[in-house]
Amino acid sequence: MSNVKKAFENGKAFIPFITCGDPSLEVTEQLVYAAEEAGADLVELGIPFSDPTAEGPVIQAANTRALSGGVTTDKIFDMVRKIRKNTQIPLVFMTYANVVYSYGTDRFLQTAAEIGMDGLILPDVPFEEKAEFDEPCKKYGLDLISLIAPTSHERIYMIAKEASGFVYCVSSLGVTGVRKEITTDIGAMVKLVKEAKDIPCAIGFGISTPEQAAKMAAVSDGAIVGSAIVKLCGQYGEECLPYVKEYIRGMKDAVRNS
């Protein structure tokens, strides 16, 4: 079983997203340990990109801060090497095709696998174009995690059938961010995925409160939260650790009891 799938072994999973290098890579490393201590089952590490099309203003601002602070893919790889000396929590990169291309797809994926990453999420790569990343991911034992959006009903079965690790169900159209209400029929999406393949489904985009997380986890295998965590990092900077840890603990409790 892949390390990514193991994140779903002990009931409902809570998956936090962290932008690498915001406020600094040293803090990002500590955030991974804090997330695990607070009950996170898998951590998404965002590699900053200058034009992140799927992201709302909160994560865009974090990308800008990280890049202006001098964060590079190589520095992030070095940070993961340090993390892997201390924990085996499942880790996946979330970034954009351009970041992988410009590094060299094969070189990027080989290095990611060597340093102990478990998977990759590329929100700007449509299903029809995923082969050029999927094949090298398989070669190096990484899960390329598929996203399923509310618009892609007729495509859900097709995408799910070929998915690996887990399926990232996008709870709403548009960019990531914090929403008051999530109205998409997630249960129907998850059902379609499960009909196609026995694979965990986690829901992200717009979840920020324990109530929302519990509601989403009740109809799936877990919840993913990015903007609300990145917001805390932006708000508290170098002092963000205890705030993020407390937030993750509350969210994991909500998911666990859903």
Side-chain angles (χ1 to χ4, degrees):
M1 184 193 288
S2 79
N3 214 21
V4 169
K5 266 196 168 166
K6 280 183 191 160
F8 298 87
E9 268 188 328
N10 303 312
K12 308 279 182 173
F14 181 68
I15 302 171
F17 166 91
I18 300 164
T19 300
C20 292
D22 180 45
S24 68
L25 287 174
E26 291 71 29
V27 173
T28 303
E29 182 189 345
Q30 295 307 316
L31 282 168
V32 172
Y33 307 141
E36 184 175 32
E37 284 164 24
D41 300 280
L42 178 151
V43 177
E44 285 182 18
L45 293 173
I47 300 181
F49 179 50
S50 54
D51 187 23
T53 47
E55 312 300 356
V58 171
I59 295 177
Q60 281 196 17
N63 279 338
T64 304
R65 287 193 297 269
L67 291 169
S68 57
V71 166
T72 64
T73 301
D74 278 324
K75 286 179 185 173
I76 292 168
F77 285 160
D78 285 340
M79 176 195 70
V80 174
R81 287 184 181 97
K82 286 185 202 162
I83 290 170
R84 277 297 179 233
K85 288 177 182 162
N86 300 303
T87 174
Q88 290 309 305
I89 188 170
L91 294 173
V92 303
F93 278 138
M94 185 163 186
T95 193
Y96 289 81
N98 227 335
V99 171
V100 180
Y101 274 140
S102 57
Y103 196 86
T105 302
D106 199 78
R107 180 171 157 242
F108 180 98
L109 296 170
Q110 184 177 5
T111 309
E114 279 169 3
I115 63 176
M117 292 300 294
D118 301 297
L120 178 66
I121 303 171
L122 297 170
D124 61 336
V125 174
F127 175 73
E128 291 75 13
E129 290 164 30
K130 78 170 206 160
E132 61 186 299
F133 295 101
D134 202 26
E135 280 153 28
C137 273
K138 285 193 174 98
K139 175 173 146 191
Y140 295 115
L142 294 164
D143 284 317
L144 181 64
I145 290 147
S146 299
L147 282 88
I148 288 178
T151 48
S152 49
H153 260 223
E154 65 293 341
R155 303 169 76 230
I156 286 175
Y157 191 85
M158 190 171 69
I159 295 169
K161 227 171 146 172
E162 289 187 26
S164 71
F166 72 91
V167 170
Y168 190 133
C169 293
V170 176
S171 69
S172 51
L173 295 176
V175 295
T176 60
V178 173
R179 287 182 179 76
K180 284 193 174 67
E181 218 168 311
I182 295 165
T183 50
T184 313
D185 186 356
I186 300 296
M189 277 168 76
V190 172
K191 198 164 168 283
L192 282 166
V193 170
K194 302 282 189 183
E195 280 168 13
K197 191 174 193 172
D198 180 19
I199 190 168
C201 293
I203 299 165
F205 277 53
I207 299 169
S208 60
T209 67
E211 295 73 28
Q212 288 172 336
K215 204 170 152 191
M216 293 296 117
V219 294
S220 70
D221 302 297
I224 303 165
V225 172
S227 292
I229 290 167
V230 173
K231 208 172 185 175
L232 290 171
C233 296
Q235 194 177 342
Y236 295 103
E238 299 282 333
E239 312 301 315
C240 67
L241 272 170
Y243 300 98
V244 172
K245 192 172 182 178
E246 185 189 356
Y247 177 82
I248 291 174
R249 185 172 281 126
M251 295 297 271
K252 175 61 187 181
D253 286 346
V255 165
R256 192 187 282 118
N257 300 324
S258 62

